[in-house]
Amino acid sequence: MSNDISINNSGQAIAITDMRDDHTEQITPLIDAITDADAIEAFLERKNTSGKRALSQSTYTNYRRNCYLLLDYCNTVLSVKKTLSKVTLDDAQAFATYIAFPPPSKVGYAKRPFGEAGWKPFVVKKGWKAGDRALSETSVNRTIAGLKSLYSWMQKTGFVQLNPFALLDTNTQERKLQEAKSKDRIIQMPNLKAISRWLGENEQSALESKNQKIIRDAQRKRWLFFAYLTSGLRISELLTNGSQSLQQEYIQGKSYWTLNIIGKGNKPAQIPVAKKFIDEFSKYRLGLGKSEQPNPLLNEPFFYSLSGNKPIRCRQTLYNNFKEMMASVANGLHDAGLLMDALKVRSASTHWLRHSFVSIGIDQSQDIAIMSELARHSDLKTTMGYNKSNIIRMSSVLDDISDSLN
């Protein structure tokens, strides 16, 4: 009896037993995985044709967490321990509820690697209690999306037959509301100017302290702010791309700086960068005792540790720097009586600067197509969501209606 390899309609690899001898169909996995953990590692570490890991670092980190959340759920939470191939639609739906509202036994207050003593699937802030959310609706949807990808890949390799997560609908009203709200996660121009002023004052105060660590921290915060705001790059792009991504070009007799990067979804792009970006990068480097321009033969990082020797690869470091900055600016706004501005600034994350970049660009240029290219949105509708010109026109009409009633 002989076996032939075939691919079914879903792209799943199967071994078809010679029909003359047997009428059964058997799955032959295309990966050398014995356990679920083996399959997860194969999924995370899969390579593209150039031999490099297919997933970006940020996607790898998120997917890894999601996969081991599910593995822990199957091994320790379900009343009957299950392998990934035995997970049902009911299990998948129960898992979605579980990660939103986990039991206290699964919650901790410090991050630890999976498998290490004291590891907990969920890390929350002090004050969390049973019945509180551990993951937001958005985070739940992202987790489910990651597991859909895991199962889709395992199904195609033949490790599992079905994908229970494919049947979960994440396009909920809550998700649509969150997407609408995300367009308002913008730092308005008056507050951007307040941040810029604070950065200048903070740097001056640091210089007066003559403390090298304090000075470099202040200068890194300044560079982080302008690197983000003048380029619209994502934090992962600032960390995974380096100085060799920068290139000086002469077009029609004029000098331009461009950035060749691998962005979200491993998509390559070439975008121009503002003179302000280059100036602030040079200033940051000089503060570290480095040359104004990076060595063209070396791919130097955009951000360094306070010692000036080690590159920063952890996004949490830059995120924490940014939140420290926002807290200080928010305190100043609060003291000035600008309570709503203070609340908004305190809530801001690094990604808000990317949103601000797109919003300001549309306001200044009124060219949505160009801003869509600069932001590298795959759908023009995403960029159009930042266009507030209709608000101005509608507000004018409302004022006219109100005036006519007087």
Side-chain angles (χ1 to χ4, degrees):
M1 181 172 64
S2 62
N3 288 346
D4 293 320
I5 299 296
S6 180
I7 304 295
N8 67 12
N9 291 336
S10 65
Q12 179 181 352
I14 58 174
I16 301 178
T17 304
D18 192 326
M19 301 303 283
R20 293 170 299 178
D21 301 320
D22 197 337
H23 289 280
T24 61
E25 185 179 273
Q26 298 176 338
I27 295 175
T28 302
L30 296 177
I31 54 173
D32 186 19
I34 299 174
T35 67
D36 287 342
D38 292 338
I40 287 173
E41 289 303 318
F43 166 70
L44 295 171
E45 299 292 346
R46 65 191 189 277
K47 304 292 192 294
N48 56 28
T49 53
S50 67
K52 295 181 179 180
R53 185 196 287 160
L55 299 176
S56 68
Q57 185 57 47
S58 59
T59 302
Y60 173 88
T61 301
N62 291 331
Y63 277 12
R64 185 179 183 83
R65 177 180 179 278
N66 298 340
C67 290
Y68 281 101
L69 272 179
L70 178 62
L71 196 60
D72 180 73
Y73 178 78
C74 291
N75 289 332
T76 68
V77 178
L78 290 175
S79 57
V80 178
K81 184 177 177 180
K82 289 187 176 183
T83 61
L84 296 183
S85 64
K86 300 298 183 182
V87 172
T88 66
L89 175 59
D90 285 344
D91 294 331
Q93 290 172 327
F95 175 78
T97 302
Y98 160 77
I99 60 176
F101 303 99
S105 61
K106 292 294 182 177
V107 172
Y109 301 102
K111 290 183 179 180
R112 290 186 172 88
F114 176 78
E116 184 180 284
W119 175 85
K120 298 289 185 180
F122 304 93
V123 177
V124 297
K125 294 180 179 179
K126 295 287 185 180
W128 182 92
K129 58 185 183 297
D132 288 350
R133 268 192 173 274
L135 294 182
S136 67
E137 183 72 26
T138 300
S139 296
V140 169
N141 286 332
R142 287 174 179 168
T143 300
I144 298 303
L147 294 176
K148 285 182 180 181
S149 295
L150 167 69
Y151 266 88
S152 176
W153 182 82
M154 291 194 301
Q155 190 178 31
K156 288 176 181 177
T157 65
F159 190 78
V160 300
Q161 293 186 47
L162 300 172
N163 181 353
F165 288 92
L167 299 174
L168 296 189
D169 183 10
T170 57
N171 193 28
T172 61
Q173 286 185 331
E174 291 87 350
R175 179 181 178 182
K176 292 174 181 177
L177 181 61
Q178 285 297 326
E179 288 177 351
K181 285 182 176 179
S182 71
K183 300 298 189 298
D184 293 323
R185 291 172 183 168
I186 293 168
I187 305 175
Q188 301 294 342
M189 185 60 75
N191 292 330
L192 289 173
K193 290 181 177 179
I195 296 170
S196 183
R197 286 194 301 273
W198 180 88
L199 287 168
E201 294 166 0
N202 185 52
E203 186 174 8
Q204 183 58 41
S205 176
L207 291 170
E208 291 171 0
S209 75
K210 300 187 185 303
N211 183 307
Q212 198 64 29
K213 186 175 180 179
I214 294 175
I215 292 171
R216 287 182 172 176
D217 179 68
Q219 291 174 337
R220 188 170 66 189
K221 284 184 170 72
R222 178 186 176 88
W223 163 229
L224 173 62
F225 175 74
F226 285 108
Y228 236 117
L229 188 60
T230 61
S231 69
L233 293 172
R234 301 175 177 90
I235 196 167
S236 58
E237 294 165 347
L238 284 167
L239 290 176
T240 56
N241 293 280
S243 62
Q244 285 187 336
S245 303
L246 283 171
Q247 183 175 322
Q248 192 169 21
E249 298 194 25
Y250 291 87
I251 306 172
Q252 296 181 0
K254 188 175 179 180
S255 173
Y256 295 90
W257 282 96
T258 61
L259 196 61
N260 295 283
I261 62 168
I262 302 297
K264 186 177 180 180
N266 283 326
K267 294 178 182 176
Q270 182 184 47
I271 57 171
V273 291
K275 184 176 182 297
K276 182 71 172 174
F277 182 97
I278 300 299
D279 291 345
E280 292 292 339
F281 185 37
S282 298
K283 183 177 178 180
Y284 172 66
R285 288 180 56 82
L286 289 172
L288 293 171
K290 301 183 183 298
S291 60
E292 186 175 2
Q293 298 296 334
N295 185 334
L297 300 179
L298 300 175
N299 192 27
E300 300 184 66
F302 284 126
F303 292 92
Y304 284 92
S305 63
L306 296 181
S307 69
N309 298 321
K310 296 180 180 179
I312 291 179
R313 299 299 184 200
C314 176
R315 60 192 301 157
Q316 193 65 40
T317 301
L318 295 185
Y319 182 84
N320 291 343
N321 270 194
F322 185 81
K323 293 301 287 185
E324 289 170 10
M325 187 196 321
M326 292 300 97
S328 296
V329 175
N331 288 340
L333 292 170
H334 186 276
D335 292 344
L338 302 171
L339 304 186
M340 292 301 294
D341 287 345
L343 181 63
K344 190 91 178 217
V345 168
R346 195 180 298 277
S347 302
S349 69
T350 47
H351 204 68
W352 285 37
L353 286 182
R354 175 172 163 81
H355 292 179
S356 302
F357 166 81
V358 178
S359 180
I360 293 169
I362 292 175
D363 286 346
Q364 295 291 324
S365 68
Q366 292 299 305
D367 193 329
I368 293 176
I370 285 294
M371 286 312 302
S372 184
E373 284 191 61
L374 286 171
R376 288 160 292 120
H377 288 152
S378 56
D379 189 340
L380 191 63
K381 291 179 181 178
T382 303
T383 317
M384 290 173 66
Y386 294 92
N387 183 17
K388 303 296 184 182
S389 59
N390 281 346
I391 298 294
I392 298 172
R393 290 194 289 270
M394 288 190 292
S395 180
S396 177
V397 170
L398 286 173
D399 287 341
D400 290 342
I401 293 172
S402 298
D403 291 343
S404 69
L405 300 176
N406 293 332

